[in-house]
Amino acid sequence: MMIFTNDLLQQIKITPLLDTLRLENISDASYFGEHYSDYISNSRMGLINPAQGGTPEAYFQGLSKNAKFTTSLAFGSAVHELSLQPESFFLCEDVAAPTAKVGLMADWLWKITKNGELPSDDVLREAAVKVDYYNGIPSNAQLSKVKEAIKPYFKARYKFEQDSTDTRCPIYFDDKNRDRLREVIKSLNENKDIQSLLHPEDLVGGFLPSENERTILLNILAEVPEHEPIELKLKAKLDNFTIDSVSKIITVNDVKTTGKMVSEFDAAVKMYHYYREIAFYSWLLSLCAKKFYGIDNPTIKGNFLVVETIPAYWSSVVAMKPKWFLAGTKEFLTLLKMIAYYTVNGYEQD
């Protein structure tokens, strides 16, 4: 077996198969579900990235076994849903969820039961592992407290969903985080710079087509020396993008929440490799621009639409820098080559 080296990295070729390129509306449940579980997303790339603590083993285990459940991630997901998909989601004002990790456990457990009944202790312990509640090994007394907290929540949620005539999906939080979420959404909605990107105007005052939560699917051909070429499947769900076919400009916008000041967001771009995300999405979108709109060599712009989750909930546009595009493109292509290598060779190394 060939050893993975920088020289070999240069020899591996990645070619997009444009006949497989699709731009679709896919629900979150389907996108993150079993049907697309073998596709490579930006998040899954992070599982193999050494700079993010990734390993080939973690990558092949997949996101289902390496997923993180935290309050901040749940809050960020709610911000995306309420700011970009208000036609599909709403904040429930009538039912308060438990706080902190018990709330995360409750939401995970609800997806299993969905009928307001308490699950078994074994399932409760599984939920504790998922959210790292007391290091995943709560005592019987601690489990009893969890039951006491989620029982009224399940009862109230079940009744609310039975009685509600709203066709949108409700989002549940405890009172404190619900108030905080309102402030965050208000900040995004009142920021003129952010709204001008989400609802852009053309040169004559009309609105350009701006898409939220669209999915791009693409197969790529990966050629690893001494092996037959293989196909890998990619997927990406973009927060927002605009394709201006007249000016030949494509713009990718990504909503981000931060628990720090917006002025410090550059550090987060590097720490969480957000630059790779925008670069990856822009690359896919440029292929869509060529295939579906006949746009060659478009000008590419990327922006982070950042909002603080702490008072005073400031929001701002942080534009992608050219060096971030270069670093992100190099990184995702390198990771795809690593994935190709370990796919054909396996990851059990001597």
Side-chain angles (χ1 to χ4, degrees), residues 11-45:
Q11 297 177 52
I12 298 174
K13 295 181 180 180
I14 298 293
T15 305
L17 301 175
L18 295 181
D19 60 324
T20 69
L21 182 64
R22 291 184 285 162
L23 182 59
E24 299 188 351
N25 281 314
I26 298 175
S27 69
D28 287 356
S30 180
Y31 180 85
F32 295 108
E34 185 65 28
H35 185 71
Y36 296 101
S37 61
D38 59 337
Y39 282 66
I40 303 167
S41 63
N42 174 68
S43 297
R44 194 176 177 194
M45 285 186 213

Side-chain angles (χ1 to χ4, degrees), residues 33 42-43 60 64 66 99 107 109 122-123 139 149 174 192 217 230 233 239 277 286 309 313-314 318 328 339 349:
N42 174 68
S43 297
F60 286 104
S64 61
N66 291 276
T99 60
D107 284 338
L109 292 164
D122 287 342
V123 177
S139 65
D174 59 273
K192 293 181 180 179
L217 303 173
I230 61 169
K233 295 184 287 188
D239 284 1
E277 181 179 24
S286 67
T309 59
Y313 305 105
W314 295 112
V318 177
I339 290 168
Q349 303 293 308

Side-chain angles (χ1 to χ4, degrees), residues 186-232:
K186 179 182 178 182
S187 178
L188 286 171
N189 288 341
E190 293 181 353
N191 187 301
K192 293 181 180 179
D193 292 334
I194 288 176
Q195 292 305 311
S196 69
L197 287 168
L198 294 177
H199 309 285
E201 293 186 10
D202 61 22
L203 296 177
V204 295
F207 285 98
L208 291 169
S210 180
E211 302 281 357
N212 291 343
E213 299 294 335
R214 292 289 297 275
T215 296
I216 299 176
L217 303 173
L218 173 71
N219 288 12
I220 59 173
L221 187 71
E223 299 175 79
V224 181
E226 299 185 6
H227 291 275
E228 291 295 319
I230 61 169
E231 287 190 25
L232 299 174

Side-chain angles (χ1 to χ4, degrees), residues 111-142:
K111 294 176 182 178
I112 297 174
T113 60
K114 292 187 177 180
N115 59 6
E117 296 180 1
L118 288 178
S120 67
D121 283 1
D122 287 342
V123 177
L124 282 168
R125 292 187 184 281
E126 185 180 354
V129 172
K130 290 286 185 182
V131 305
D132 195 31
Y133 181 69
Y134 282 98
N135 296 316
I137 48 174
S139 65
N140 290 333
Q142 289 159 345

